[in-house]
Amino acid sequence: MPVYIYVILAVGWFLWFLPFPLKRWNRTKPQARDNRSRWGLLLQTIAYILLWQGHFWTTSPALWRTIACAVLLAIAALLSWTATNALGRHLRFDAAVTADHELIRTGPYAIIRHPIYASMLAILLGTGVVLTPRILFIPAIILFLIGTEIRVQIEDKILASHFGDEFHRYRHHASAYIPFIR
């Protein structure tokens, strides 16, 4: 594996991850929380682990794979930065809302309801396209999508119970985490 691939991956992952520790996570006691979303997080984590299980250091990806990797990692970083900025004080680790919670519909939230999950999908795809053999990449994608669907369903349920019709109108307008797919 050429060194520049490792550099692209390291820079991409770093730029994707950086806004999370820079932002202040909301640690106030939520009005409603559902820890079942952590099962989705577990599946997403297993998907990321699968990406690194092949003998990637012995291969050299095609140029198109390297370009796809760089583009997907750039999209992931852009989404993580813009989503955390738009969320502001509502950034939380768990699926939860506080009494003063606002429904964010600016930045990437104008198009997709869960842009952080979209960024996580982009980083998974960007990494997998250069590192992972198909026999591991396809199951990783499937596990990630199942885990993300668990998290989306739980978060949407919490938001719907808190915001009612306002959230239902927003849900009808904005895709979950893949633009134009409802």
Side-chain angles (χ1 to χ4, degrees):
M1 176 83 58
V3 173
Y4 65 85
I5 300 292
Y6 295 114
V7 172
I8 291 169
L9 287 168
V11 169
W13 275 82
F14 177 77
L15 291 175
W16 171 80
F17 182 75
L18 189 58
F20 298 104
L22 291 178
K23 296 292 174 188
R24 293 196 176 162
W25 291 84
N26 186 338
R27 299 188 194 280
T28 60
K29 184 173 167 121
Q31 180 181 359
R33 174 183 20 218
D34 192 335
N35 289 331
R36 292 178 303 161
S37 67
R38 291 185 179 186
W39 288 107
L41 178 62
L42 175 65
L43 292 176
Q44 290 172 323
T45 302
I46 293 168
Y48 286 122
I49 290 169
L50 279 176
L51 296 180
W52 299 87
Q53 299 309 305
H55 295 277
F56 56 85
W57 57 88
T58 63
T59 64
S60 184
L63 178 61
W64 75 266
R65 290 180 182 272
T66 304
I67 292 168
C69 170
V71 168
L72 286 163
L73 295 180
I75 290 168
L78 177 67
L79 283 169
S80 71
W81 280 91
T82 57
T84 56
N85 282 333
L87 273 179
R89 64 185 172 89
H90 299 298
L91 179 63
R92 300 187 76 89
F93 184 75
D94 285 320
V97 292
T98 55
D100 65 342
H101 205 96
E102 298 171 34
L103 184 59
I104 306 299
R105 290 173 286 195
T106 59
Y109 290 90
I111 301 168
I112 49 179
R113 297 188 312 274
H114 304 279
I116 291 174
Y117 297 155
S119 78
M120 292 170 67
L121 177 58
I123 202 127
L124 177 108
L125 295 173
T127 303
V129 77
V130 293
L131 291 186
T132 313
R134 258 184 254 159
I135 196 157
L136 294 171
F137 193 29
I138 292 170
I141 293 169
I142 292 168
L143 280 175
F144 181 86
L145 292 174
I146 292 169
T148 301
E149 284 298 318
I150 290 169
R151 295 181 79 184
V152 164
Q153 295 302 317
I154 290 169
E155 287 185 25
D156 281 359
K157 184 178 177 183
I158 289 173
L159 291 169
S161 70
H162 189 77
F163 294 106
D165 289 339
E166 182 183 6
F167 179 75
H168 291 294
R169 284 189 301 275
Y170 173 57
R171 185 177 181 175
H172 180 72
H173 170 74
S175 300
Y177 57 97
I178 301 173
F180 313 113
I181 296 179
R182 298 216 194 297

